Amino acid sequence: MASSLFKFDQRPRVFKSIYHEIIVIILVCMAQFLSQAGVTMSLSTMNIMLNSFQVTDKTIQVWFMGGYSLSVGTFILFSGKLGDLFGLKKIFIVGWIWVSLWSLITGISYYSKSIIFFIICRAFQGVGYALLLPCGMGILGHIYPNGKRKNLAFGCIGANGPIGAMVGAFMAAVVGQTWWWPWEFYLITILSIILLIGSIFFIPHLSNDEINGEITIKNVWQKLDIFGALTGIIGLILLNFIWNQGPVAGWGKAYIIVVLIISILLIVSFFIIELNFSTHPLLPRSIFNIKVGLILACISFGWGSFGIWQYYYWNIILNLRLYTAIEGGLTYTPFLVMGTIAAITVSFIIIHTKPSYIISFATTCFMVGCIMLSVMPVEQSYFRISMGQMFILCWGMDLSFPAASIILSDILPQHHQGMAGSLVTTMVNYSVSLFLGISSCVEIEIFKHNQDQLGSYRAGLYFGIGVAAIGVICSFVLIFLTKDDLNGNEDLVEEVEHKHEEIEVRNYEINDESDEKEEIR
């Protein structure tokens, strides 16, 4: 049993040696590492940054995390399509160039003395990770066939979530508290340039079957689904903007209501276009089934609640417990240890356990973490509830992300591997930003009534508990629907493959009809 557990598949031929394989995995893992570090580095030093910009209204700090996650989550679906279309390696390299440039500009934004410009720079920095994450996961999904070796590679990506969160928080705290916070972003710039060079030389060239023939403006416009992409991206950005800006500006403002209505209309239009009019939709229609939908819903609600937990955890320890930035960064140490163990573990247990069980356990961990923080006394020692919740939440992060990524990578065809990487990452990042905006609305409204800072933080956490509970319910429904599945996600794969074959046949017939019409003309 033990020997079979650690017996891996043969190394893919694209790798020249085991060292080449390790380097490629590290390059992809660093995208996940820096993406999560980008979230926590603005949390551990948020008071330092507010003071440097001489801002007293702390309600704007929700944009430090929300704006960054918004850009990552919104642009990531489109960037996955770019990778499938133009080549995963090319877009991966462009991603590192983008991150390098905007990390540098974000550091320079200190001289503008404008907190708004800093937030905008952070949002543009997130676009770079939106290019990197799906393409990086797509590269591994393209290289590795289904099996233990692929599961371990995806587990390594998942492990870099909590590692990046801890290192990012602590590194930023040390630099911001003892030196000068712009250097947080200058260091990211230097590291990104190194990773850019490594990606150019070590990432293998992969075949690209999405565009057949010459790449022209016409077929690029069609295959990228530009009209649908613009409708969806603008709608998602406006919806998220309203939930983050509404509590800050006030819900009575006319532009808030107008933009909210416009965002809803755009999102509805996006789905109408994708399902009825688009010849090359951003989301392959073959994935539109209830099981895949429930998996993505669990990821959305689970990670949305975790984003709420992170935001209020840092507010409590910095503003109420009065920890320094470095002390706060050190409290994330359990994520570094247990998160790594959890992420590597999922690559083995997913072979022998139904994915629905893994995701259900993960969503439960997210909910328990929010509950523990909502009842944590301010004066209590860190080594009780504060530390305990870390050991639970790391399982939520590192079971859900790799499990969902592996499932979707397995069920989608080779030319949609960039899309497989983008689906999970989209749900993670956009949900973090959206639900954080709604929870901050709850917090601000409660504070207006009782002027109790701890009580308002807990009100936001209660909303997070409710969000996580919905994810748990979705996971129970998923377990019920997959109760007759005998071999993990094999039935799900067969169902999606059957739908994909039907759509391919339909598209083939449509293309034949178009060719006949052209001949007649």
Side-chain angles (χ1 to χ4, degrees):
M1 177 69 178
S3 60
S4 63
L5 186 65
F6 293 98
K7 185 178 180 180
F8 292 104
D9 316 307
Q10 186 177 5
R11 186 173 66 248
R13 294 183 178 180
V14 296
F15 296 125
K16 299 176 182 178
S17 65
I18 184 65
Y19 302 106
H20 184 198
E21 181 180 14
I22 292 173
I23 291 172
V24 170
I25 292 176
I26 289 175
L27 290 170
V28 176
C29 285
M30 286 304 295
Q32 173 76 343
F33 177 93
L34 291 178
S35 173
Q36 291 301 312
V39 174
T40 55
M41 66 190 297
S42 64
L43 291 174
S44 63
T45 57
M46 57 184 175
N47 288 341
I48 296 173
M49 292 179 182
L50 285 172
N51 292 333
S52 73
F53 286 109
Q54 299 179 352
V55 175
T56 57
D57 182 11
K58 290 191 174 184
T59 57
I60 199 172
Q61 69 188 12
V62 70
W63 280 109
F64 285 12
M65 178 179 173
Y68 173 84
S69 297
L70 169 62
S71 62
V72 176
T74 304
F75 287 93
I76 211 163
L77 266 182
F78 184 65
S79 63
K81 190 71 173 179
L82 285 173
D84 289 333
L85 189 60
F86 293 107
L88 296 168
K89 178 178 179 177
K90 292 178 182 176
I91 303 302
F92 192 74
I93 290 172
V94 171
W96 284 126
I97 296 173
W98 188 282
V99 169
S100 303
L101 175 63
W102 281 99
S103 296
L104 177 63
I105 297 174
T106 304
I108 296 174
S109 69
Y110 166 83
Y111 296 102
S112 71
K113 302 301 179 182
S114 171
I115 191 72
I116 302 299
F117 182 65
F118 168 76
I119 292 171
I120 292 172
C121 291
R122 284 276 293 161
F124 274 100
Q125 184 191 26
V127 174
Y129 294 110
L131 296 172
L132 286 168
L133 290 170
C135 293
M137 295 175 66
I139 287 170
L140 297 186
H142 192 285
I143 291 174
Y144 288 102
N146 300 344
K148 295 179 181 179
R149 205 177 193 99
K150 175 180 181 178
N151 294 346
L152 181 60
F154 275 79
C156 291
I157 296 176
N160 276 271
I163 293 173
M166 187 275 164
V167 175
F170 182 69
M171 180 274 294
V174 171
V175 173
Q177 187 175 323
T178 64
W179 195 4
W180 190 37
W181 70 258
W183 265 100
E184 302 169 21
F185 299 97
Y186 298 154
L187 291 174
I188 296 294
T189 301
I190 295 170
L191 181 57
S192 298
I193 292 173
I194 295 173
L195 295 170
L196 165 64
I197 296 171
S199 299
I200 293 173
F201 287 102
F202 291 103
I203 297 289
H205 292 280
L206 305 173
S207 61
N208 184 18
D209 300 322
E210 182 69 10
I211 283 187
N212 296 315
E214 184 182 358
I215 297 179
T216 64
I217 295 177
K218 181 180 178 180
N219 61 20
V220 167
W221 180 277
Q222 291 178 342
K223 291 181 181 293
L224 282 181
D225 188 22
I226 299 295
F227 189 65
L230 289 175
T231 306
I233 289 173
I234 295 173
L236 290 173
I237 289 176
L238 292 180
L239 179 65
N240 199 294
F241 169 79
I242 287 304
W243 281 110
N244 282 275
Q245 185 65 16
V248 177
W251 288 99
K253 298 291 180 63
Y255 80 90
I256 295 291
I257 305 301
V258 171
V259 174
L260 177 61
I261 295 172
I262 293 174
S263 67
I264 294 174
L265 291 175
L266 285 172
I267 292 173
V268 172
S269 300
F270 168 74
F271 282 104
I272 293 174
I273 292 170
E274 293 296 292
L275 294 174
N276 298 288
F277 300 104
S278 178
T279 55
H280 299 278
L282 288 177
L283 296 176
R285 294 190 182 103
S286 56
I287 70 166
F288 284 98
N289 67 81
I290 189 169
K291 293 179 183 178
V292 174
L294 285 170
I295 291 172
L296 295 177
C298 292
I299 294 297
S300 174
F301 292 120
W303 277 85
S305 68
F306 178 69
I308 294 170
W309 178 89
Q310 278 206 108
Y311 179 73
Y312 288 112
Y313 173 80
W314 282 99
N315 273 282
I316 289 173
I317 65 172
L318 293 179
N319 299 331
L320 300 182
R321 284 192 173 178
L322 303 180
Y323 284 4
T324 64
I326 293 176
E327 290 170 343
L330 287 172
T331 64
Y332 260 38
T333 302
F335 278 158
L336 179 67
V337 180
M338 290 303 300
T340 304
I341 296 173
I344 301 301
T345 301
V346 72
S347 64
F348 295 104
I349 65 176
I350 196 172
I351 303 172
H352 308 286
T353 308
K354 290 182 180 179
S356 55
Y357 293 157
I358 297 175
I359 292 177
S360 181
F361 181 75
T363 54
T364 303
C365 289
F366 284 129
M367 184 175 68
V368 171
C370 282
I371 292 173
M372 293 177 71
L373 184 60
S374 68
V375 299
M376 182 184 73
V378 175
E379 301 81 9
Q380 190 182 65
S381 168
Y382 163 76
F383 295 99
R384 301 182 70 178
I385 291 181
S386 299
M387 186 175 182
Q389 61 193 332
M390 304 281 183
F391 287 92
I392 296 173
L393 283 165
C394 66
W395 289 96
M397 288 189 292
D398 291 330
L399 290 179
S400 61
F401 188 89
S405 300
I406 291 169
I407 295 167
L408 292 178
S409 177
D410 288 350
I411 67 178
L412 288 177
Q414 285 289 334
H415 62 275
H416 280 316
Q417 285 302 305
M419 188 62 60
S422 68
L423 280 172
V424 178
T425 317
T426 294
M427 300 307 294
V428 168
N429 289 280
Y430 187 79
S431 299
V432 165
S433 183
L434 178 63
F435 289 119
L436 176 59
I438 300 174
S439 68
S440 69
C441 179
V442 174
E443 173 211 336
I444 292 171
E445 292 301 319
I446 293 298
F447 184 76
K448 288 178 181 178
H449 287 84
N450 59 19
Q451 296 297 307
D452 179 10
Q453 192 66 77
L454 177 60
S456 63
Y457 287 163
R458 285 177 172 171
L461 284 166
Y462 296 153
F463 174 77
I465 294 170
V467 170
I470 298 175
V472 173
I473 293 171
C474 289
S475 70
F476 289 163
V477 175
L478 180 63
I479 290 174
F480 176 77
L481 292 177
T482 58
K483 67 181 187 303
D484 297 326
D485 295 356
L486 299 177
N487 299 309
N489 61 326
E490 288 182 3
D491 291 350
L492 180 60
V493 174
E494 291 177 2
E495 179 181 340
V496 175
E497 285 180 345
H498 179 67
K499 282 193 174 185
H500 183 74
E501 289 173 1
E502 290 180 349
I503 292 171
E504 290 293 331
V505 170
R506 196 181 311 145
N507 290 339
Y508 181 77
E509 293 173 351
I510 292 171
N511 290 335
D512 279 350
E513 292 177 2
S514 300
D515 292 340
E516 290 176 3
K517 290 179 181 179
E518 288 293 330
E519 290 177 2
I520 293 172
R521 289 174 184 175

